[in-house]
Every structure is written in C-alpha cells, then in structure tokens.
C-alpha cells in the first residue's frame, strides 16, 4: 500500500529551497516536504479587501503543492497581529505582562480558522495525514471536523505550552483546549510542555491521563507526546564548509584581528533575551578588565513583526543598550558590540557560526531554539567553539551535556560562563562538542517528521469510540 499523502497546514508556507528565511518552523517543514512531497496549505502573506471570497492559489514544486489564501486587512490585524502575536505568543512564553486581550481578536481568530478549514476541506482525500502547526491554528482541527473531514489530524506546537496557572488567564482558555481535543495526536517540543498541557486537561477540564501517552477528556481520547524538533545537521555541516561560508568565516577572522568572537543569532523578539545577553556581556567587561579590548560580540537580529509596538520598542532598547555599552568601553581600535538587523543566507550564517568561538543563546523562554543546534552542526570538530545556552530553551533538555547553561536573568552567571568559554582549553571544547554532536546529528528534522507522522499513522482510526482503559496516576 502506498504512503498516505502528507498535508501540512502552517501560517506561512514555503520557501521550499534550502536558503530559507529567518524562522525555525519553515526550515523544519520545508525539509520534510522536500523529501516526502504532499500539500502545504497556509496564508500567502498577502492582504486583500476581497480575500474572504478570493481563490486558493496553488503552485507546484516537484512532488509538493503549495496552496495559499489571502487575509483581509481586518483578519491580518485580528488574527495574525492580534490574537496570535499580541495574545497567544506572549502568553505561551509566560509573559503575562505583555499579553493583550481583545474580544475582537478572539472573534477574528476563530473566523479565520473556520475559513482556512472550509477552504482546505475540499482539497482533502479521506486517507490524507493532516499535520497542523503552531499557535495560529489551535481550533483548526475542530473546524475541519465540522467541515466533514474524518481522517487523521495531528497538531504540533513549536513554542512552549505554559503552566495552567498562566494559560487560564486567557479568556476562553477552556474552549481553546477543548477544541484541541479534535486532533488525534498533539505534539510538543519538550516533556515540560507536554506535562503543562496534561495538567490543564486534568485540573481544568477534569480529564484523566491514560497509559500510552493518552489523555481522556469527556468522550474524547487523544494521544499527547513530545517530539523535539531538529535540523538537517548534515546539510548544515556542508553549508559550513561551502565557499560562501568560507568567505564569511575568513572576513570575520580578519576583522577580529585574533580576538575571539561571540555570536548571537535571533529574530528580533523579546522572548530571545537579547538585551539581557548584552547586559551579561557588559558584566564580563565590567568585572574582567583583562577582557576589555580582547573580545567582540556580534548580534545578528533580523527584524520580525516590526508592525507591533513591543517589537519596535525592543529594537530601540537593543540599540540603546549596545550604544551605551560601546560608549562605555570602546577604544580607538575596538568596538565591543556590533548589531546587525539585516539577515544573511544560511550558508553565510554557517560560516559566521564557524568563525565564532562562542555562541550565546539566552532566550527567556523558547520552544526549542534551532540556532543552538545549527551552531553545533557548523563547528570544525578539531577546533570547536562553545555553546552558552539558556536554561529556559527547549534545547536544554538535549544539549545540557555539552553546553554551558546560563540564567539570562542573572548577568553574573552569564559573565562567568562567557569567561569560562573564552578561556576553555581545546580538549574540554572537543569533549563538550562531542557530547552535543551526537544528539544534533541523530535528532534531525527528518527524524522529527518521521516520528511524528509514524505516531499519527498509528493512532486508532478517528471514528473509533473512546477507549475504556483505566487511568494512570494524573500528573
Ligand atoms: C520557532 C520557535 C523553535 C535567524 N537569522 C537568520 C536566519 N535565522 C534562522 C536561524 C534558525 C531560525 O531562523 C530561527 O529558529 P529558532 O528555533 O531559533 O527560533 P524561532 O524563529 O522563534 O522558531 C522555536 C522553532 O520554531 C522550530 O520549531 O525552535 O523555539 O520559537 O534556523 O538560522 N536565517 C537566515 N538568515 C538570518 O539572518 N537565513
């Protein structure tokens, strides 16, 4: 029997080529679809007053079809900029202080999910495996059921799932999680996220955790598991030895004149702890006089969601902090911090990673953080750099054997870890790198995809009644 067709739904679709843009989700999915083929459905990125009646635009790339629809300007405001990025994004990253709730966002979010489902349903075949991604589409599965699709639907959340104490601040939090029960399989990045979700199902919805990674709420039983996302590690390693990477590596080494380079790479987002990182670097220069004039920090931070005030404010704060630290410590021939808000190609980025003695990854909260994995994959095994990793990144669970863990809220621990990384001997660097290399090269994007789709294909057919198995002890 041939493999069922894969249908992926995510907010943005493509690109399928290996250049990619800043953003972890597209990178992982493009890899999966390039290998397996299928249909990728989502928003075109365009807004149009007449979008509600607009066509589904399709493009074929080999075995993969891209299908997109437009949003109206009102939908862009309420669904994407509003509910997804002003309410859910900060909430799920534990930032209640930044959350904005507005009942018009809520209404538009649900209406857009309904319209996506209604436009997608006629394109589906009964035996398709439908895989829905991320916080833009919590209720999409329930809407697809209403539109008549009875096949298997899986859901994967790329960002953290916060504890119920925080999630319940969302008006209609119960309805949103109940809607998620329409999926057959719900996947998270880490065990922590999975346990937070199960805690919501049991404590808030009166559900029971069953054997075999399942939870039952009312008459629905679904499977809930963690699937840490990875990268195309071998592809990234090859990028790192490409001529384009080599040029960037060499250029950076020339500019640094023998000083070690610390690099940060993130979409400009408040969850990434970029300002906190700069404060950690400042503390290094403050407390360790011998480091002054002897190390450079390069922060690559392509602009993201720039229409939102919080993001514009973050850019101002970042530039002001870098300016202040530079003003405080710079000499005629040395500027400690360089910030770039323009992006690079992935090959160039791989060369930058390879030139960097330290990669400084300090999110305040992060679903996974692919930059940490890319840095490891890009290193020269005979002279690898050191990864400084926030204890609040999902990647911590897999990389803590080799990374130096830091608390981004504490500049002192960041300064100490930087000092340790910058003075670390080659044999310890190699040992730490080896501990991470194995994980990064084994837990690839392809493996993530295969594990998720394997689990989805194995769930009992959705039409079967809920199982009668006894509960295990609730979390
Ligand atoms: C979400 C979750 C989760 C960055 N600058 C450039 C560039 N990038 C690429 C990186 C990396 C990607 O963007 C960023 O991925 P992250 O995982 O670090 O973060 P998010 O964008 O927030 O992704 C995250 C991820 O989804 C996957 O599930 O890990 O926790 O928040 O690939 O290399 N790429 C290019 N030029 C740049 O300047 N080409």
């Amino acid at each position: 029997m041939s493999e069922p067709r894969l249908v992926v739904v995510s907010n943005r679709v493509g690109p399928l080529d290996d250049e990619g843009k800043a953003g972890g989700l597209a990178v992982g999915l493009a890899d999966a679809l390039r290998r397996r083929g299928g249909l990728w459905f989502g928003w075109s990125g365009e807004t149009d007053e007449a979008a509600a009646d607009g066509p589904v635009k399709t493009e074929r790339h080999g075995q993969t079809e891209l299908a997109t629809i437009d949003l109206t300007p009102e939908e862009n405001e309420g669904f994407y900029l509003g509910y997804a990025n002003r309410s859910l994004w900060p909430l799920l990253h534990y930032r209640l202080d930044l959350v904005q709730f507005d009942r018009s966002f809520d209404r538009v979010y649900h209406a857009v999910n309904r319209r996506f489902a209604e436009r997608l349903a006629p394109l589906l075949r009964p035996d398709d495996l439908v895989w829905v991604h991320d916080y833009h589409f919590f209720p999409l599965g329930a809407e697809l059921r209403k539109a008549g699709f009875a096949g298997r639907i899986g859901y994967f959340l790329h960002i953290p799932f916060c504890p119920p104490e925080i999630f319940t601040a969302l008006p209609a939090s119960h309805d949103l999680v109940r809607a998620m029960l329409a999926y057959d399989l719900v996947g998270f990045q880490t065990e922590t996220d999975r346990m937070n979700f199960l805690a919501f199902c049991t404590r808030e919805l009166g559900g029971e955790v069953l054997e075999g990674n399942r939870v039952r709420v009312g008459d629905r039983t679904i499977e809930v598991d963690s699937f840490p996302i990875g990268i195309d590690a071998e592809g990234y390693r090859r990028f790192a030895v490409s001529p384009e990477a080599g040029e960037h590596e060499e250029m950076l080494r020339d500019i640094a004149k023998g000083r070690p380079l610390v690099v940060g790479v993130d979409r400009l987002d408040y969850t990434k702890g970029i300002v906190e990182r700069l404060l950690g670097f400042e503390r290094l220069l403050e407390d360790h006089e011998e480091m002054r004039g002897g190390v450079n920090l390069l922060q690559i931070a392509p602009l993201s969601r720039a229409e939102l005030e919080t993001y514009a404010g973050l850019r101002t704060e970042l530039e002001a902090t870098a300016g202040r630290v530079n003003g405080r410590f710079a000499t005629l021939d040395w500027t400690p911090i360089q910030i770039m808000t323009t992006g690079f190609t992935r090959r160039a980025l791989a060369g930058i990673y390879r030139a960097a003695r330290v990669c400084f990854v300090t999110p305040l909260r992060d679903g996974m953080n692919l930059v940490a994995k890319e840095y490891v994959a890009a290193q020269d095994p005979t002279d690898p750099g050191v990864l400084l990793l926030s204890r609040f990144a999902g990647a911590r669970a897999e990389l803590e054997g080799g990374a130096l863990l830091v608390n981004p809220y504490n500049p002192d621990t960041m300064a100490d870890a930087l000092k340790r990384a910058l003075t670390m001997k080659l044999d310890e660097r190699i040992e730490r790198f080896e501990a991470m290399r194995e994980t990064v090269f084994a837990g690839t994007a392809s493996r993530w995809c295969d594990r998720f789709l394997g689990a989805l294909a194995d769930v009992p057919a959705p039409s079967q009644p809920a199982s009668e198995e006894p509960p295990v002890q609730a979390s």
Side-chain angles (χ1 to χ4, degrees):
M1 220 177 65
S2 66
E3 248 184 356
R5 182 176 69 153
L6 170 61
V7 177
V8 168
V9 185
S10 62
N11 183 50
R12 296 305 300 275
V13 164
L16 281 170
D17 60 51
D18 65 13
E19 270 311 326
K21 290 186 296 225
L25 182 146
V27 173
L29 287 180
D31 188 62
L33 278 154
R34 269 200 308 273
R35 270 187 320 125
R36 176 172 173 143
L39 172 67
W40 192 351
F41 185 83
W43 176 34
S44 61
E46 309 281 326
T47 54
D48 180 0
E49 290 290 353
D53 306 310
V56 177
K57 297 178 265 188
T58 57
E59 250 176 66
R60 178 159 279 287
H61 296 259
Q63 294 194 85
T64 305
E65 191 164 17
L66 306 183
T68 56
I69 57 177
D70 298 342
L71 293 179
T72 66
E74 190 210 357
E75 287 171 341
N76 183 37
E77 192 52 45
F79 162 76
Y80 177 69
L81 295 172
Y83 202 74
N85 286 321
R86 285 195 177 96
S87 309
L88 291 176
W89 176 269
L91 181 81
L92 290 160
H93 285 94
Y94 301 51
R95 290 298 299 270
L96 267 176
D97 58 320
L98 296 178
V99 171
Q100 294 174 40
F101 298 126
D102 182 321
R103 60 186 173 179
S104 73
F105 294 168
D106 195 331
R107 181 181 52 75
V108 178
Y109 178 79
H110 282 88
V112 169
N113 269 271
R114 194 171 318 121
R115 190 153 69 80
F116 269 71
E118 285 167 1
R119 302 312 292 272
L120 174 60
L123 308 178
L124 296 180
R125 305 170 195 153
D127 62 347
D128 282 344
L129 281 184
V130 179
W131 189 6
V132 178
H133 291 260
D134 236 359
Y135 57 103
H136 312 87
F137 293 122
F138 281 126
L140 189 84
E143 294 295 341
L144 277 174
R145 298 289 183 224
K146 286 185 206 157
F149 182 68
R152 291 181 173 82
I153 317 179
Y155 176 87
F156 183 78
L157 182 66
H158 288 254
I159 67 177
F161 194 88
C162 60
E165 291 76 6
I166 296 176
F167 199 67
T168 43
L170 182 74
S173 61
H174 282 214
D175 294 344
L176 211 58
V177 175
R178 276 189 202 285
M180 290 172 76
L181 300 168
Y183 295 111
D184 300 298
L185 169 65
V186 172
F188 296 97
Q189 297 275 23
T190 65
E191 272 303 292
T192 307
D193 303 315
R194 186 178 84 92
M195 296 308 275
N196 285 339
F197 178 79
L198 291 178
F200 191 97
C201 291
T202 53
R203 284 189 229 153
E204 294 293 323
L205 302 180
E208 294 167 311
V209 176
L210 308 176
E211 296 288 355
N213 292 328
R214 285 174 310 145
V215 65
R216 176 168 57 204
V217 180
D219 62 356
R220 282 290 300 161
T221 299
I222 66 166
E223 199 162 315
V224 181
D225 207 347
S226 59
F227 300 87
I229 194 171
I231 60 164
D232 173 7
E234 180 50 30
Y236 222 90
R237 191 199 61 75
R238 279 199 304 269
F239 280 171
V241 292
S242 67
E244 191 180 344
E247 278 164 32
H248 283 79
E249 186 182 347
E250 207 171 309
M251 196 195 316
L252 279 173
R253 290 195 196 280
D254 282 354
I255 298 168
K257 300 198 186 84
R259 298 180 184 106
L261 176 70
V262 177
V263 76
V265 178
D266 319 73
R267 282 183 308 98
L268 185 55
D269 194 296
Y270 52 81
T271 61
K272 302 292 183 183
I274 311 175
V275 171
E276 288 75 4
R277 183 177 313 166
L278 263 47
L279 299 179
F281 189 72
E282 178 181 30
R283 185 61 53 86
L284 173 81
L285 301 179
E286 206 171 75
D287 286 0
H288 300 279
E289 212 172 316
E290 73 283 7
M291 286 285 161
R292 295 182 203 160
V295 56
N296 290 326
L297 172 63
L298 168 63
Q299 175 63 49
I300 297 168
L303 299 183
S304 169
R305 304 173 196 167
E307 309 91 318
L308 296 179
E309 319 72 47
T310 326
Y311 288 75
L314 174 67
R315 182 180 182 180
T316 310
E317 190 186 356
L318 180 65
E319 288 170 350
T321 309
R324 185 178 59 70
V325 176
N326 283 340
R328 185 172 170 200
F329 292 107
T331 56
L332 277 178
D333 64 349
W334 174 67
T335 306
I337 301 177
Q338 186 180 2
I339 307 268
M340 297 188 62
T341 51
T342 47
F344 285 90
T345 66
R346 297 182 74 203
R347 284 178 180 76
L349 204 53
I352 295 171
Y353 287 141
R354 209 165 161 106
R357 170 52 56 87
V358 177
C359 187
F360 203 7
V361 182
T362 58
L364 305 178
R365 193 66 58 179
D366 212 336
M368 177 53 60
N369 195 289
L370 295 182
V371 167
K373 295 187 172 182
E374 290 166 0
Y375 179 72
V376 172
Q379 293 310 292
D380 172 355
T382 65
D383 185 19
V386 183
L387 176 66
L388 257 59
L389 181 62
S390 163
R391 55 176 52 256
F392 305 116
R396 172 203 172 162
E398 292 169 280
L399 300 181
E400 66 185 339
L404 294 182
L405 289 190
V406 294
N407 172 2
Y409 293 98
N410 180 353
D412 293 334
T413 65
M414 287 193 282
D416 290 348
L418 275 171
K419 175 82 199 297
R420 195 168 156 207
L422 289 164
T423 52
M424 193 181 283
K425 297 270 183 316
L426 179 64
D427 51 356
E428 184 178 351
R429 280 191 278 126
I430 292 181
E431 198 179 312
R432 288 178 171 277
F433 164 74
E434 290 298 343
M436 298 186 284
R437 172 157 78 166
E438 213 172 298
T439 317
V440 170
F441 280 78
T444 58
S446 307
R447 176 135 194 284
W448 166 73
C449 189
D450 292 347
R451 263 198 70 218
F452 188 95
L453 293 172
L456 181 59
D458 283 349
V459 294
S463 53
Q464 283 183 11
S467 110
E468 284 308 316
E469 277 167 61
V472 293
Q473 202 169 12
S475 57

